[in-house]
Amino acid sequence: MKQSLLISICLLITYATSTAQQHAGQSEVKTDTIHSEILKADRAYTIYLPKSYDTQAQRKYPILYLLHGLSGMNSNWFDKASVKQVQDQLVASGESVEMIIVSPNAGGNPETEWNGYFDMPGWNYEQFFFSELLPHIESTYRVIGDKQNRAVAGLSMGGGGSAAYGQKHADTFGSVYAMSALMAIPADRPIPQNQPAPSKRQLLTKSVIENSCVDYVNNASEAQKEQLRTVKWFVDCGDDDFLLDTNIDFLRAMRAAKIPLEFRIRDGGHDWLYWHSALYTCLPFVSRNFQP
Amino acid sequence: MKQSLLISICLLITYATSTAQQHAGQSEVKTDTIHSEILKADRAYTIYLPKSYDTQAQRKYPILYLLHGLSGMNSNWFDKASVKQVQDQLVASGESVEMIIVSPNAGGNPETEWNGYFDMPGWNYEQFFFSELLPHIESTYRVIGDKQNRAVAGLSMGGGGSAAYGQKHADTFGSVYAMSALMAIPADRPIPQNQPAPSKRQLLTKSVIENSCVDYVNNASEAQKEQLRTVKWFVDCGDDDFLLDTNIDFLRAMRAAKIPLEFRIRDGGHDWLYWHSALYTCLPFVSRNFQP
Amino acid sequence: MKQSLLISICLLITYATSTAQQHAGQSEVKTDTIHSEILKADRAYTIYLPKSYDTQAQRKYPILYLLHGLSGMNSNWFDKASVKQVQDQLVASGESVEMIIVSPNAGGNPETEWNGYFDMPGWNYEQFFFSELLPHIESTYRVIGDKQNRAVAGLSMGGGGSAAYGQKHADTFGSVYAMSALMAIPADRPIPQNQPAPSKRQLLTKSVIENSCVDYVNNASEAQKEQLRTVKWFVDCGDDDFLLDTNIDFLRAMRAAKIPLEFRIRDGGHDWLYWHSALYTCLPFVSRNFQP
Amino acid sequence: MKQSLLISICLLITYATSTAQQHAGQSEVKTDTIHSEILKADRAYTIYLPKSYDTQAQRKYPILYLLHGLSGMNSNWFDKASVKQVQDQLVASGESVEMIIVSPNAGGNPETEWNGYFDMPGWNYEQFFFSELLPHIESTYRVIGDKQNRAVAGLSMGGGGSAAYGQKHADTFGSVYAMSALMAIPADRPIPQNQPAPSKRQLLTKSVIENSCVDYVNNASEAQKEQLRTVKWFVDCGDDDFLLDTNIDFLRAMRAAKIPLEFRIRDGGHDWLYWHSALYTCLPFVSRNFQP
């Protein structure tokens, strides 16, 4: 008996540190694939389902689309920033609400794979996102499915993607949280000319230029500005980030257009430390803006 | 020319996100092995050398011994908590000073490997640590080598290890930062009896009981208490941690003994989210207490 | 014209720094008095009305009862911890929701004035609070008036008051935030005996002993524990606070009784720095638990 | 005896909350006056002396000059932002070092009093500061007195003052922390022309234009830039501050000139909540940069 007690002490120690992810009634992360007619390709996505998903079989949830950066992929946010663990903890403390989080693949090696969130000749990713991916996700999983319960966030190329999606699809998203965002191609770079056979990277760069989040605000009509004000905005960029200037351009454009936004510059650079720590602000922010 | 400009824009983006670890004049992490006569075994350690280490060839540095938990190993702190990245950033912002950080292997699968920081029959790890490992590290690398420039920190089993090392070797360490620490075996568990052939796990449990950090303070003589006051103490445990009670016991013992300590209970459990975030407090704390 | 431009620059600077409190559509703080039949006395209270209170004439609001400490009074939270300014900012950033905050007078010089939140011979303050003050406030101001939209918080004597109110009136409050709370009279003090003419201070001390929040949990029936679980609990105490031990006793009792709570130990003592900074956690906490 | 025990419990409670400021060996705040030949006037200053000042009679200390804003005065930082209490706590936790903090009067009602930190016709405040005030303080109190142990910080008008002092007197200050700083008069305002009898406010505005911190960086020679790099810079401004744009202009100028700085945008406006919370970053920052 004494031995078994000793063993139980030891087991307890191991047990307590390792079981969080296996229990029934726990949140779940899984990866699946959708076939796109628009892209003529299969695309993977990784999805987080909240802990009550299985036990509350009728309940519908708000949703966050979480976008990765250049040369990244659908699993990045989960592997490199511990999204599941952070969200589980914030739900436990009440700072975040239960939601579905989905991260679609929009990248890979930029020399060989299509990267980016916008339409490019031969790769209409934005069309795919809104015509195929979003409807697929929201009919496959129990998503509330209105603007007030849908958010988009992302880092770097995905930060610019989330801001541009919030601008061009303001009736789709209730809130946007852009981290270290590629809001535009920095102003001191020349605009590329037409070329006979541009590479995937060159097409990406052109698409970012064409979808400049700064230009969008500067050129917005009064009606468009009014629409932008229906979205809750949060922009967060490190003081050592090489993209800081385009984020400041965005801030100035938004202030000039009188569109309210939360804006933060924290200590840090363009790296996973920053994006991991940003989750502690991002997830409560989108939670507060959901209206289930 | 236009193509090359486009490419340079693309390259810039990639470059800025991926080069931090490869430059000359950057900090470095490497793993090496020491042969122990005491343990009759090779033991690995992972070590962080600060960015000026190569360029300032005469400079000596303060050192932090950073201890992993049960069933962990020497690479854990670097793989699972991004110690290198956090320390690099804190040095850049001035919150942490350049130091050497070393994490020795004291674990692995507890069914088959010796785990623990204390002496056990057949495995005198504490002797190894102070008679072999520490002298080896501090003669192999440029370490200042006095109490005021030496700190110890750790998590769980390593949190208890760091606190006990600070107690029994108060003339060796200037500061201790214990996270989610196994300060003692919880009080409601029976004390194990002698057994003919205890397992490695059972020997570990006995060694933790024999080295209870709570008992050490409660039983300390006035002279020992005075010695404990020469160490700067920081204890940090999550409000959902299954080891919280033993940390509170330690707090009470220290308060009763009038030994100053910093004590924090933050939101969280017994997991890498907690230990990663603790680094932002731990590394500045030991930095402030170094006296180069 | 140039002069007037110069003046407008100057005025702008002054204007921007000083007008927050005077605008229409801004939050408001005012002090009023209620006559108590139970206490046979007038009692003052200070109340914060949110910025939409005047403009949304039909809207009802959640309410926070915010309790001061020993020898304090109804204006303390506003004068010494800037409740209005903190709440205004947290509402602007979305972290807190619009609510009514009321701080009733339960103190003054303890040599001459009645202090405390409990019933004492000759001063049935708790009866006054629940039979007179709360109904008066909630019929005079537009308060939603159910458990899920009512919270209580406080510091020191008021921290103990808020915890005890949450225990004994668990059907009245949805959440409790206790700061630096006098959860009980420290255990190493003798229990006072009956005396012929106890002073107001002595009666206060007896009432705290009789209303020990620690004993309440330890002695709770299963049904009472179930009721305590209908309240959201947050306990927050500084690591240098002389009341830390009674807060730890409370934590242990709650853990033993399996009643979930958030618990924090932050750096600091028993002072207004701590309580001011606690508001940044307290107001979002009660906001998240309101269910309008 | 029982009564006296009861009383002692009560006294303990009172005592613990109120004695921090009265003990021997505690920090001290006092106000004194210096007569200025340059200004032909008496000027008040408020000074914080650290807790060891009296007991360590030979020790010299680093010093922080802490500047108030427009229409403010020497006591503001102490009355409205609790500088003494914050610094005492940060010293106790080790995050800040013991230092002298002095806040000189540079303001009052701007309709009737001279405001500002620069030289103006009839009021050469900057000359007074460096030729009279600083030498007086550093000969009257035990100040180390070199660049590495001298810092300047301030808010709004005083934030601009601290940045400009750091620029023009880079050999005097080792670090600068500018909060919500009036770095320049906002760019969309016309430059005032000469007037026959400008008011004190108009002279102040002209002096701010002439001492634009943004222009100073943009116009700096390589040698001046090199000098600016000998100062540690920290700039901190709220995302709702009406002076945010001039702070961003300063950030851009510093980045273009390759002068390292820490830069933060936090949640908040142009108010004492912001400046109070900034102290928790400011005082550790200047402490880390002192080199006693």
Side-chain angles (χ1 to χ4, degrees):
Chain A
M1 188 193 106
K2 281 152 204 155
Q3 278 214 28
S4 68
L5 276 166
L6 250 187
I7 290 168
S8 72
I9 293 172
C10 299
L11 285 180
L12 175 97
I13 295 173
T14 316
Y15 177 83
T17 61
S18 66
T19 52
Q21 307 197 17
Q22 301 143 10
H23 275 196
Q26 291 300 302
S27 66
E28 184 190 0
V29 172
K30 60 183 183 184
T31 293
D32 209 336
T33 296
I34 171 178
H35 179 72
S36 167
E37 292 296 327
I38 291 170
L39 301 177
K40 311 291 182 207
D42 288 349
R43 301 303 286 172
Y45 61 88
T46 301
I47 193 163
Y48 167 98
L49 300 176
K51 69 173 180 177
S52 71
Y53 194 82
D54 283 338
T55 53
Q56 301 187 21
Q58 304 305 315
R59 182 171 167 189
K60 295 186 170 186
Y61 296 87
I63 189 164
L64 168 64
Y65 291 85
L66 191 56
L67 310 184
H68 64 72
L70 181 76
S71 81
M73 57 184 294
N74 48 294
S75 57
N76 279 180
W77 271 109
F78 298 90
D79 294 346
K80 303 189 176 187
S82 305
V83 168
K84 173 186 153 54
Q85 291 77 3
V86 175
Q87 168 67 352
D88 284 352
Q89 179 182 319
L90 291 173
V91 168
S93 69
E95 292 170 77
S96 191
V97 301
E98 288 197 70
M99 68 180 88
I100 292 172
I101 303 174
V102 63
S103 194
N105 187 18
N109 180 341
E111 302 310 324
T112 56
E113 305 295 329
W114 289 101
N115 272 260
Y117 294 98
F118 305 123
D119 289 342
M120 292 167 264
W123 189 256
N124 289 319
Y125 190 90
E126 187 170 345
Q127 284 183 38
F128 156 70
F129 190 97
F130 289 94
S131 302
E132 294 183 329
L133 176 77
L134 189 148
H136 172 77
I137 295 293
E138 304 198 359
S139 60
T140 304
Y141 300 94
R142 298 196 308 277
V143 172
I144 298 176
D146 61 13
K147 169 185 168 73
Q148 295 309 330
N149 290 290
R150 196 185 288 113
V152 60
L155 69 90
S156 196
M157 180 183 86
S162 64
Y165 280 10
Q167 292 176 327
K168 296 160 73 182
H169 307 265
D171 51 349
T172 299
F173 299 105
S175 63
V176 174
Y177 192 108
M179 308 172 194
S180 315
L182 183 66
M183 292 290 190
I185 297 294
D188 55 345
R189 308 285 154 66
I191 297 175
Q193 306 302 313
N194 289 329
Q195 296 143 44
S199 70
K200 287 172 179 168
R201 293 192 74 128
Q202 290 163 342
L203 292 171
L204 165 62
T205 304
K206 286 189 71 172
S207 78
V208 173
I209 291 169
E210 289 160 9
N211 287 275
S212 161
C213 302
V214 180
D215 292 350
Y216 190 93
V217 179
N218 284 333
N219 300 332
S221 66
E222 241 343 289
Q224 284 174 315
K225 288 179 191 171
E226 200 49 51
Q227 248 197 334
L228 294 177
R229 291 186 194 108
T230 69
V231 177
K232 299 288 186 182
W233 295 92
F234 203 119
V235 173
D236 178 2
C237 187
D239 68 339
D240 297 322
D241 196 308
F242 74 108
L243 291 178
L244 180 56
D245 282 327
T246 71
N247 281 271
I248 288 173
D249 289 335
F250 182 78
L251 170 65
R252 285 209 161 146
M254 293 286 273
R255 282 162 68 93
K258 300 196 187 311
I259 301 163
L261 83 166
E262 295 292 320
F263 192 90
R264 302 286 186 279
I265 297 183
R266 297 182 292 119
D267 187 35
H270 200 82
D271 55 37
W272 284 102
L273 287 187
Y274 201 85
W275 305 321
H276 172 72
S277 63
L279 287 175
Y280 291 86
T281 314
C282 170
L283 296 170
F285 173 75
V286 300
S287 292
R288 291 193 303 264
N289 289 308
F290 290 143
Q291 299 173 5
Chain B
M1 188 193 107
K2 283 153 203 158
Q3 279 214 27
S4 68
L5 277 167
L6 252 186
I7 290 168
S8 72
I9 294 172
C10 299
L11 285 179
L12 175 100
I13 295 172
T14 315
Y15 177 83
T17 60
S18 67
T19 52
Q21 309 199 16
Q22 301 142 10
H23 275 196
Q26 291 300 302
S27 65
E28 184 189 2
V29 173
K30 60 185 185 185
T31 293
D32 208 338
T33 296
I34 172 179
H35 179 73
S36 166
E37 292 296 329
I38 292 169
L39 300 178
K40 311 291 184 207
D42 289 347
R43 298 305 285 171
Y45 62 86
T46 300
I47 192 163
Y48 166 98
L49 299 175
K51 69 174 180 177
S52 71
Y53 194 82
D54 284 337
T55 53
Q56 300 187 23
Q58 305 304 315
R59 184 170 164 188
K60 294 186 171 184
Y61 296 87
I63 189 165
L64 169 64
Y65 291 86
L66 190 55
L67 312 184
H68 64 72
L70 180 77
S71 81
M73 57 182 295
N74 48 294
S75 58
N76 279 180
W77 271 109
F78 299 90
D79 294 346
K80 302 188 178 186
S82 306
V83 168
K84 173 187 154 52
Q85 289 78 2
V86 175
Q87 167 68 353
D88 284 352
Q89 179 183 318
L90 291 172
V91 168
S93 69
E95 291 169 77
S96 189
V97 301
E98 288 197 68
M99 67 181 86
I100 293 171
I101 303 173
V102 63
S103 193
N105 187 18
N109 181 340
E111 302 310 324
T112 57
E113 305 294 328
W114 289 101
N115 272 260
Y117 294 98
F118 306 124
D119 289 342
M120 292 167 265
W123 189 257
N124 289 319
Y125 190 91
E126 187 170 346
Q127 285 183 39
F128 155 71
F129 189 97
F130 288 94
S131 304
E132 293 183 330
L133 175 78
L134 189 149
H136 172 77
I137 295 293
E138 303 199 359
S139 62
T140 304
Y141 300 94
R142 299 195 307 277
V143 171
I144 297 174
D146 60 13
K147 169 185 169 72
Q148 294 310 329
N149 291 289
R150 196 185 289 112
V152 62
L155 71 90
S156 194
M157 180 183 87
S162 64
Y165 280 10
Q167 290 175 328
K168 296 160 73 183
H169 307 266
D171 51 349
T172 299
F173 299 105
S175 63
V176 173
Y177 191 108
M179 306 170 197
S180 316
L182 184 66
M183 292 290 191
I185 297 294
D188 54 346
R189 309 285 153 66
I191 297 176
Q193 307 302 312
N194 289 330
Q195 298 145 40
S199 70
K200 287 174 179 169
R201 292 193 74 128
Q202 291 164 342
L203 292 172
L204 165 62
T205 303
K206 287 189 68 170
S207 79
V208 173
I209 292 168
E210 291 160 7
N211 286 275
S212 161
C213 302
V214 179
D215 291 349
Y216 190 94
V217 179
N218 283 333
N219 301 331
S221 67
E222 241 344 290
Q224 284 174 314
K225 288 179 191 172
E226 200 49 52
Q227 247 196 334
L228 293 177
R229 292 186 194 108
T230 70
V231 177
K232 299 287 186 183
W233 296 92
F234 203 118
V235 173
D236 179 2
C237 189
D239 67 340
D240 297 322
D241 197 309
F242 74 108
L243 292 177
L244 181 56
D245 281 328
T246 71
N247 280 271
I248 288 173
D249 289 335
F250 183 78
L251 170 65
R252 286 212 159 142
M254 293 286 275
R255 283 163 67 94
K258 300 194 188 311
I259 301 163
L261 83 163
E262 296 290 322
F263 192 90
R264 301 287 185 281
I265 296 182
R266 296 183 293 120
D267 185 35
H270 200 82
D271 55 37
W272 284 103
L273 288 188
Y274 201 85
W275 306 321
H276 171 73
S277 64
L279 287 175
Y280 291 86
T281 314
C282 170
L283 296 170
F285 173 75
V286 300
S287 291
R288 290 193 304 263
N289 289 309
F290 290 144
Q291 300 172 4
Chain C
M1 187 192 110
K2 281 152 205 158
Q3 279 216 28
S4 68
L5 278 166
L6 250 186
I7 289 168
S8 74
I9 295 172
C10 299
L11 286 180
L12 175 98
I13 295 173
T14 315
Y15 177 83
T17 60
S18 65
T19 52
Q21 308 199 16
Q22 301 143 10
H23 276 197
Q26 291 301 303
S27 67
E28 183 190 3
V29 173
K30 60 185 185 186
T31 293
D32 208 338
T33 296
I34 171 180
H35 179 73
S36 166
E37 292 297 328
I38 292 170
L39 300 178
K40 311 289 181 210
D42 289 348
R43 299 306 284 172
Y45 62 87
T46 301
I47 193 162
Y48 166 98
L49 300 175
K51 69 174 179 177
S52 71
Y53 194 82
D54 284 336
T55 53
Q56 300 187 23
Q58 304 304 316
R59 182 170 166 188
K60 294 186 171 187
Y61 296 87
I63 189 164
L64 169 64
Y65 290 84
L66 191 55
L67 311 184
H68 63 73
L70 181 76
S71 81
M73 58 184 292
N74 49 294
S75 58
N76 278 180
W77 271 108
F78 298 89
D79 293 345
K80 302 190 178 185
S82 306
V83 168
K84 172 186 156 51
Q85 290 79 2
V86 175
Q87 167 68 352
D88 284 351
Q89 179 182 317
L90 291 172
V91 168
S93 70
E95 292 171 75
S96 190
V97 300
E98 289 196 69
M99 70 181 84
I100 292 171
I101 302 173
V102 62
S103 194
N105 186 20
N109 181 342
E111 301 310 325
T112 55
E113 306 294 328
W114 289 101
N115 272 260
Y117 293 98
F118 306 124
D119 289 342
M120 292 167 263
W123 189 256
N124 289 320
Y125 190 91
E126 188 171 345
Q127 285 184 39
F128 156 71
F129 189 97
F130 289 93
S131 304
E132 293 182 329
L133 176 78
L134 190 147
H136 171 77
I137 295 293
E138 304 198 0
S139 61
T140 305
Y141 300 94
R142 297 196 307 277
V143 172
I144 298 175
D146 59 14
K147 168 184 169 74
Q148 294 311 329
N149 290 290
R150 195 185 289 113
V152 62
L155 70 90
S156 196
M157 180 183 86
S162 64
Y165 280 9
Q167 292 175 327
K168 297 160 73 182
H169 307 266
D171 51 350
T172 300
F173 298 105
S175 63
V176 173
Y177 193 108
M179 308 171 193
S180 315
L182 183 66
M183 292 290 191
I185 296 294
D188 54 346
R189 309 285 155 65
I191 297 176
Q193 307 302 313
N194 289 329
Q195 296 144 42
S199 71
K200 287 173 178 168
R201 293 193 73 128
Q202 290 164 341
L203 292 173
L204 165 63
T205 303
K206 288 189 70 171
S207 77
V208 173
I209 292 167
E210 290 159 7
N211 286 275
S212 161
C213 302
V214 180
D215 292 350
Y216 190 93
V217 179
N218 284 333
N219 300 333
S221 66
E222 243 341 290
Q224 284 174 315
K225 288 179 191 171
E226 201 49 51
Q227 248 199 334
L228 293 178
R229 292 185 194 108
T230 69
V231 178
K232 300 287 185 182
W233 295 92
F234 204 118
V235 173
D236 178 2
C237 187
D239 69 339
D240 298 322
D241 196 309
F242 74 108
L243 292 178
L244 180 56
D245 281 328
T246 70
N247 280 271
I248 289 173
D249 289 336
F250 182 78
L251 169 65
R252 287 208 158 146
M254 293 285 274
R255 282 162 68 93
K258 300 196 189 309
I259 301 163
L261 82 165
E262 297 292 321
F263 192 90
R264 303 286 185 281
I265 297 182
R266 298 183 292 119
D267 185 35
H270 200 82
D271 55 38
W272 283 103
L273 288 187
Y274 201 85
W275 305 321
H276 172 72
S277 63
L279 287 176
Y280 291 86
T281 313
C282 169
L283 296 171
F285 172 76
V286 299
S287 291
R288 290 192 304 265
N289 290 309
F290 290 143
Q291 298 172 7
Chain D
M1 189 193 108
K2 282 153 205 157
Q3 279 216 25
S4 69
L5 276 167
L6 249 188
I7 290 168
S8 73
I9 293 172
C10 299
L11 285 179
L12 176 97
I13 295 172
T14 315
Y15 176 82
T17 59
S18 66
T19 52
Q21 308 199 17
Q22 301 144 10
H23 274 197
Q26 291 300 303
S27 66
E28 183 190 2
V29 172
K30 61 185 184 184
T31 293
D32 208 337
T33 297
I34 171 179
H35 179 73
S36 165
E37 291 296 327
I38 291 170
L39 300 178
K40 310 293 182 208
D42 288 348
R43 299 305 286 171
Y45 62 87
T46 300
I47 193 162
Y48 166 97
L49 300 175
K51 70 174 179 176
S52 72
Y53 194 82
D54 284 337
T55 53
Q56 301 188 23
Q58 305 303 315
R59 183 170 166 189
K60 293 186 171 186
Y61 296 88
I63 189 165
L64 168 64
Y65 291 85
L66 191 54
L67 312 185
H68 63 74
L70 181 75
S71 80
M73 58 183 293
N74 48 293
S75 57
N76 279 178
W77 272 108
F78 299 89
D79 294 346
K80 302 189 178 187
S82 305
V83 168
K84 172 186 155 52
Q85 289 79 1
V86 175
Q87 167 68 352
D88 284 352
Q89 180 183 318
L90 291 172
V91 168
S93 70
E95 292 170 77
S96 189
V97 301
E98 288 196 70
M99 69 180 86
I100 292 171
I101 302 172
V102 62
S103 193
N105 186 20
N109 180 342
E111 303 310 324
T112 56
E113 303 296 327
W114 288 100
N115 272 260
Y117 293 98
F118 305 124
D119 289 341
M120 291 165 264
W123 189 257
N124 289 319
Y125 189 91
E126 188 170 345
Q127 284 184 40
F128 156 70
F129 189 98
F130 288 94
S131 303
E132 293 183 329
L133 175 78
L134 189 149
H136 172 77
I137 295 293
E138 302 197 3
S139 61
T140 304
Y141 300 94
R142 297 196 309 276
V143 172
I144 297 175
D146 60 14
K147 167 184 169 75
Q148 295 309 330
N149 291 290
R150 195 184 290 113
V152 61
L155 70 90
S156 194
M157 181 182 85
S162 64
Y165 280 10
Q167 292 176 326
K168 298 160 72 182
H169 307 267
D171 52 347
T172 299
F173 298 105
S175 63
V176 174
Y177 193 107
M179 306 169 195
S180 316
L182 184 66
M183 291 290 190
I185 296 295
D188 54 345
R189 308 285 155 65
I191 298 177
Q193 308 301 314
N194 289 329
Q195 295 143 42
S199 71
K200 286 173 179 168
R201 292 192 75 128
Q202 291 164 342
L203 292 172
L204 164 63
T205 303
K206 287 189 70 170
S207 79
V208 173
I209 292 168
E210 290 160 8
N211 286 275
S212 160
C213 302
V214 180
D215 292 349
Y216 190 93
V217 179
N218 284 333
N219 301 332
S221 66
E222 242 342 291
Q224 285 174 315
K225 288 179 189 171
E226 201 49 52
Q227 246 197 337
L228 293 178
R229 292 185 194 108
T230 69
V231 178
K232 300 285 186 185
W233 295 92
F234 204 118
V235 173
D236 180 1
C237 187
D239 69 338
D240 297 322
D241 196 308
F242 74 108
L243 292 177
L244 180 55
D245 282 327
T246 72
N247 281 270
I248 288 174
D249 289 335
F250 183 78
L251 170 64
R252 287 210 158 142
M254 293 287 274
R255 281 163 69 94
K258 300 193 188 310
I259 301 163
L261 82 166
E262 296 291 322
F263 192 90
R264 302 287 186 280
I265 297 182
R266 297 183 292 121
D267 186 35
H270 199 82
D271 54 38
W272 283 102
L273 288 187
Y274 201 86
W275 305 322
H276 173 72
S277 64
L279 287 175
Y280 290 86
T281 314
C282 170
L283 296 169
F285 173 76
V286 302
S287 291
R288 291 193 304 264
N289 289 308
F290 289 143
Q291 299 172 4

